[in-house]
Amino acid sequence: MPPQPKDFQVFPDGPHLRLAGYFERMSEPRPARAQSKAEWIQKRGPIREQTLRALGLDPMPDRLPLDIRTGGVLERDGYRVERIYWQTWPRVWASGWLYLPNAIEGRAPAVLNPHGPWENGACHPIVQARLISLAKLGYLALAVDACRLCDYAVGLTPLSVMTFNNLRALDLLAARNDVDRNRIGIAGASGGAQQAMYLLAVDDRLHAGVLAAMVSYFKRIPTVEDHPCPCNPVPGVMRFTDEPALCAVASPRALMFLSTTDDWTAPFPDHELRELRAIYHLWQQPDRLAHRQFQGPHEYSRDMREATYTWFERELRGNRKAEPVPEPAHTVEDLETLRALDRPPEEDTGVDGIRSWYQKRIVAQPPQLEGKPARRNYQERVRAELIDLLGLPSEGCSLETQWQSGVPPRTTAIVDVPQAQGPLPNAYLLSFRSEADVRVPAVWAPGSGDGPWPVLIAVHPEGKAAAMGSAPVREFREAGYAVLAPDVRLRGELQRDWFHNTVLWGRPEAGMAVTDLQACIEWLLGEEQVDARGLVLWGEGDLGVVALLAAGLDERITATVADCGDTTYRDGGEGLPVIPNLLRTGDVPQIASLIAPRPLWLYRVPGERVGFSSRRYYDWTRRSFQSLGEVEALKMSTGGLPEPAAVREWLRTRLKRAKR
């Protein structure tokens, strides 16, 4: 019977407790603070720049001619509805719904209305109610259809697309003869308020905003497992800011926040609002910030919408003593009636056109390199960029190591698994301190004889138990190797579903795993019986890329065997670790090239494809080994898991010749 996870359980408590301190530290709010208006102005510029980069809008796409197209039109009592389209990327049109008053004298105020993940989007009755009411109240109201395109490898998220679509929607409104460009506002609830928050942070043309049922510290948003969040995380935004600070970038423009008592915005009055008020006081304009809290669940109720109309009456029409504005009587349209207005441009390439633009403009093209110095310089540059993308600490961590029981380091193992009680003979359970608030559980199986032993570090997607039962571990143990099998985050005993959090933190799971592997190396190099020139890292499944990253960044790893997943990020990266913005630096072949000239065996390398050769990307890896004088140190195969005996025999000669 193969080893089971319970046979190698190191910690008595589960991952939700083991990683609680780390989660709290990474999720700590990033407050908006300044002691003077000048200090805040100095701070908000970098926040805007970093926000654009996090959104994948640096460089900003070209502002092409809008080339506005019109679909169907509905004439109703007091207003009309136009289905419209405008160009965003080349041969790509955003779509929206423009609600206009029937009688407009001169230039009227306008309101942009991004919407959250409502069923049927802008056709949802609650969204329609707001649009119809604004039109009846004399505003031009535009709702932009949401786009859920996501390609993290190039830094493309739904909020990237929606922010740019909304920017171009502002261009559209500002260019109209019937719109007063000095009286444009924005109103959104939930995911729509999230869009409004980012748009307000990067564009100064909005003069007033209402953000309903959304704004809080990122920590409060339900993104952990058991609470899948429909909102869209922006890569790395929590490295430099938090939601209140993002909203404060818009100060002293007129903002109203609407919270509810039964969702994550309930604490807003006592925490986030205080930060925002402090910023508005620096501008000496506290009256331009308002808040109301409503009893009830996460929604955009009629009372909340009426608070929105009243705020715009005050801030866009200048009626500072405005009485509460009731919602006009209205009748929403059925879905079929609205969908009959659709007339998308025939040449619209949609999300494929956006992807194509990013592939051409954003994806890094490997440079032509001549000679060893140029190759080494390239390796160092890519390493520095990967360290940033992975959220790795710029300075070395304190990698204190100790056994599970807490006995001081460098003593004997306390948790011994004797053959009579455990699934494997001569195996020990231990844990390492990887970084603050994180201990990595592992299985350690010493080698044969007195040493020094070469070591196989085996990482498996299903954790250390699966690694210890794998064919590579069995073969290498029989050959006298020592074996170390850790549970890197977020696998095995440390398994958690933190995808949204890791994106927000700018700390991908792969980056955490690399840090954990570095802790393993630190411990191994402190063991007298370990051969420091014989550290072999084997990564299976999606941890193959993690192994390549760890070895590419840490030259103490002597040799690497890695699963390439039969794809590349440029091909879509299905099954590979999510690393936002990776393709702006390189792809798996470029990561693999960082290991040169040390021994490297790649398997499941993508083969030739009809009309497109992915394998040619790995020619780059081969050229790296050639230029550094070690072409024989690289082996590549398109098949599955190689025969461990063949790998071991290859390593027998390669380890003796391994260059650093």
Side-chain angles (χ1 to χ4, degrees), residues 456-461 472 476 517 535-552 557-567 576-577 588-589 591-595 598-606 618 621 625 633-644 647 650-651:
L456 178 71
I457 307 165
V459 285
H460 193 285
F476 278 72
L517 287 172
L535 303 183
V536 180
L537 177 57
W538 192 315
E540 294 191 48
D542 63 335
L543 292 185
V545 172
V546 169
L548 292 175
L549 288 164
I557 296 172
T558 314
T560 309
V561 184
D563 186 341
C564 293
D566 198 29
T567 189
L576 301 181
V588 182
I591 296 171
S593 75
L594 302 181
I595 298 172
R598 290 167 287 150
L600 173 62
W601 187 309
L602 301 174
Y603 64 96
R604 286 216 294 161
V605 173
Y618 284 88
T621 312
F625 280 81
L634 174 66
K635 285 188 72 70
M636 294 193 293
S637 63
T638 58
L641 188 75
E643 286 293 332
V647 176
W650 174 73
L651 285 170

Side-chain angles (χ1 to χ4, degrees), residues 393 395-401 432-436 438 519 522:
E395 299 179 1
C397 293
S398 172
L399 299 175
E400 173 195 1
T401 303
F432 309 101
R433 180 186 176 193
S434 176
E435 58 182 297
V438 178
E522 291 286 338

